[in-house]
Amino acid sequence: MSNLLVFPILIPLCTAVLLIILKEKILLQRIISTVSALFNIAVAIVLVSRVHANGIQTLHLGGWAPPYGIVFVGDMFAALLVLTAAVTSFGILLYSFGSIEAEREKAYYYVLFHFLLVGVYGSFLTGDIFNLFVFFEVLLISSYALISLGGTKLQLRESLKYLLINIVSSTLFVAAVAYLYAATGTLNMAHLSQRVAEAGQGGVLGVIAVLFLIVFSLKAGLFLFFWLPGSYSAPPSAVRSLFGALLTKVGLYAVLRTFTLIFIQDPGVTHTWIAWMAAAAMILGGLGAVAYNDIPRILNYNVIISVGFVAFGLAAANGDALNGAVFYLLHDMLSKGLLFILGGMIITIGGTGRLKDMGGLIKRYPLIGWMFFVLTLAIVGIPPFSGFAGKVLLIRGGLDAGMLTLSLIGLGSSFLVLYSLIKIFRLAFWGDEPEGERSRVNLKGAAAVSAALLVLVIVMGTQAEWVYSYVSKAGDVLVHPALYIEAVMKE
């Protein structure tokens, strides 16, 4: 057993509790938050190296052996997600220092930030499906407060939509967990896989599987994603970065984990629905991205496209496709966090999010413009950047699975991503600058954070073979769920 697994959860939890009593001491909150985030990165690096060297790590809380007690599980998939989330959230935290107003900082912004990370890390590391629900709720309660923090009219309107869709999905989630326990007598994920295999996935278990698919797809923005573009446009840019980088990824993780470990007996039903939803997300997300001319909505629709791309890998469900889904998921967490940071900087220097009111920014802010252009190439999947390797694996896996139409939709959506992001680059940075005097904004700190994250995106692409040596171990557990079951149930 490894006590290391609980540290990614304990560190932000203790940090959040400590920051509650430091409401007025903003500088001290920033320092403590920075130290906490650095500790979490260090713990995540150690966790990844330990899993790489020694295999899947488990922790049985209270010494209760599964399936009776609560278990935390760190396989390579979960460990890589924890590390990527830790690095991305650290960059977003540093960006918050210069972009979040003092009033919002004093309204427990950093407390909520760390509580949200508790939910994210806990969701990745739990081996119990009820605790997955608990960590989801920790994450969601924090996001409810963050999306409404500031109390603007737009925030209040969009937070109602966000609250409604997530309350409905959480209600369905707890109902699905109750039905699953009634049908199998266990909530341990590894044990659930065994019980479902013994009983077969027909009848009531088939209905429960579809119910879980609806729940996790709602939370990931894969199913009925109409709420996402408006809701993610409401909060400040740092919160948008946090949401775009992490929230939908937790939902995607839940879909990937559940339908490669527990409900794998009847892919003809579940994976067919996943394929249809993936196609819809890529097509409709792409159309939304090219249709709008304000930066927040363009970026939010790009989130939906990437959700569809990862779901495409699960629908194909072979080795290349699942490896590609993992690789692309890691790339997307980093790149989307950076994309929203750069988008926030563009809105700040342009004074508006409407592209028709922008132009000529390349003259005053060339570094921001060219960073945005390079990131666009990475997101689209132009070699040698990080998006290329993930998309190649996904398309190859899709073709091997006989999903030619879905593969073509994936390629087509990449062109829509390219068009939508180049539109921002062209209209915001080139052309004639609007009339009127505009003061220069000091964004050196945010630019430095962006440059560091961009370097990581580039390194992830240029060193794709090295990254793949870790990703393939994560993919092995998804392709061969027996590895996960054996690691959890062996003691």
Side-chain angles (χ1 to χ4, degrees):
M1 292 196 297
S2 175
N3 291 323
L4 186 67
L5 291 172
V6 80
F7 278 90
I9 301 166
L10 281 180
I11 292 171
L13 178 61
C14 294
T15 303
V17 172
L18 177 61
L19 294 182
I20 290 174
I21 63 176
L22 300 173
K23 178 183 177 183
E24 302 296 328
K25 302 182 184 301
I26 300 301
L27 180 59
L28 189 56
Q29 285 192 60
R30 291 179 176 183
I31 293 171
I32 293 172
S33 295
T34 302
V35 173
S36 171
L38 287 172
F39 268 122
N40 245 1
I41 292 174
V43 169
I45 291 172
V46 174
L47 178 60
V48 170
S49 62
R50 186 171 295 182
V51 174
H52 188 65
N54 303 318
I56 298 173
Q57 304 291 296
T58 61
L59 174 62
H60 307 148
L61 295 187
W64 288 88
Y68 304 107
I70 295 172
V71 61
F72 286 96
V73 185
D75 64 347
M76 186 58 77
F77 185 30
L80 287 174
L81 288 174
V82 169
L83 176 57
T84 309
V87 172
T88 305
S89 62
F90 177 59
I92 295 169
L93 177 69
L94 296 180
Y95 173 63
S96 300
F97 296 161
S99 64
I100 296 293
E101 299 89 343
E103 293 77 12
R104 283 190 169 101
E105 287 184 302
K106 291 180 180 179
Y108 301 105
Y109 171 76
Y110 297 111
V111 174
L112 296 168
F113 186 99
H114 288 286
F115 271 129
L116 186 142
L117 292 182
V118 171
V120 171
Y121 299 141
S123 298
F124 292 152
L125 292 171
T126 185
D128 182 286
I129 202 159
F130 180 76
N131 281 324
L132 179 61
F133 167 76
V134 172
F135 283 118
F136 256 116
E137 291 310 298
V138 172
L139 179 156
L140 287 172
I141 290 170
S142 303
S143 69
Y144 296 156
L146 285 170
I147 200 171
S148 59
L149 195 63
T152 65
K153 184 177 180 181
L154 174 64
Q155 284 180 286
L156 293 175
R157 185 183 74 234
E158 294 298 335
S159 63
L160 288 175
K161 188 193 304 179
Y162 181 76
L163 275 164
L164 178 62
I165 196 72
N166 280 292
I167 288 173
V168 170
S169 63
S170 293
T171 303
L172 293 175
F173 193 173
V174 74
V177 170
Y179 284 127
L180 185 60
Y181 182 74
T184 62
T186 184
L187 293 173
N188 181 283
M189 292 183 185
H191 198 213
L192 278 169
S193 182
Q194 293 178 327
R195 287 290 179 87
V196 172
E198 291 168 1
Q201 202 175 305
V204 67
L205 284 175
V207 175
I208 294 171
V210 172
L211 188 56
F212 272 105
L213 180 58
I214 292 171
V215 168
F216 294 142
S217 298
L218 281 170
K219 293 184 181 296
L222 179 62
F223 176 61
L224 297 180
F225 45 75
F226 63 88
W227 57 271
L228 192 149
S231 296
Y232 279 23
S233 298
S237 57
V239 178
R240 290 200 297 268
S241 302
L242 193 65
F243 285 12
L246 300 183
L247 291 199
T248 56
K249 309 309 180 292
V250 177
L252 282 172
Y253 167 80
V255 174
L256 283 164
R257 179 68 78 194
T258 304
F259 291 93
T260 59
L261 176 64
I262 301 172
F263 299 112
I264 58 176
Q265 307 302 320
D266 193 9
V269 175
T270 54
H271 288 59
T272 300
W273 279 106
I274 291 169
W276 279 104
M277 289 191 292
M282 289 188 284
I283 293 171
L284 298 178
L287 293 176
V290 301
Y292 282 94
N293 284 297
D294 63 288
I295 291 174
R297 284 190 179 268
I298 292 173
L299 302 188
N300 292 338
Y301 275 105
N302 272 277
V303 171
I304 295 171
I305 299 171
S306 62
V307 168
F309 230 103
V310 175
F312 164 37
L314 176 57
N318 54 36
D320 280 339
L322 290 172
N323 285 334
V326 175
F327 201 116
Y328 192 81
L329 192 56
L330 301 177
H331 146 81
D332 199 56
M333 290 173 74
L334 269 177
S335 61
K336 284 299 187 296
L338 176 55
L339 182 66
F340 278 88
I341 289 174
L342 290 173
M345 293 166 67
I346 294 170
I347 293 171
T348 299
I349 61 181
T352 178
R354 297 187 298 272
L355 290 173
K356 65 179 181 179
D357 298 328
M358 292 185 181
L361 296 179
I362 198 73
K363 299 173 185 177
R364 293 184 292 146
Y365 303 94
L367 178 61
I368 296 174
W370 291 115
M371 282 196 296
F372 186 88
F373 179 74
V374 173
L375 180 62
T376 295
L377 300 182
I379 291 173
V380 171
I382 304 298
F385 300 112
S386 57
F388 176 71
K391 286 194 174 183
V392 166
L393 289 167
L394 282 166
I395 297 299
R396 190 166 69 186
L399 293 174
D400 288 344
M403 295 183 171
L404 176 61
T405 301
L406 204 54
S407 300
L408 292 175
I409 290 172
L411 288 173
S413 70
S414 297
F415 286 104
L416 295 178
V417 170
L418 177 63
Y419 178 84
S420 66
L421 295 181
I422 287 296
K423 179 169 63 175
I424 295 176
F425 180 66
R426 178 174 60 86
L427 295 178
F429 288 95
W430 301 95
D432 297 327
E433 191 169 4
E435 295 182 1
E437 185 177 350
R438 295 181 183 273
S439 58
R440 185 173 179 84
V441 182
N442 183 6
L443 293 172
K444 290 182 180 179
V449 171
S450 300
L453 290 175
L454 185 60
V455 168
L456 291 176
V457 170
I458 294 171
V459 169
M460 190 176 175
T462 56
Q463 302 299 316
E465 187 174 353
W466 174 72
V467 175
Y468 183 75
S469 66
Y470 289 84
V471 167
S472 61
K473 286 197 170 186
D476 284 344
V477 179
L478 299 180
V479 176
H480 305 290
L483 297 173
Y484 184 100
I485 297 168
E486 182 183 356
V488 174
M489 303 296 293
K490 63 184 177 181
E491 296 182 15

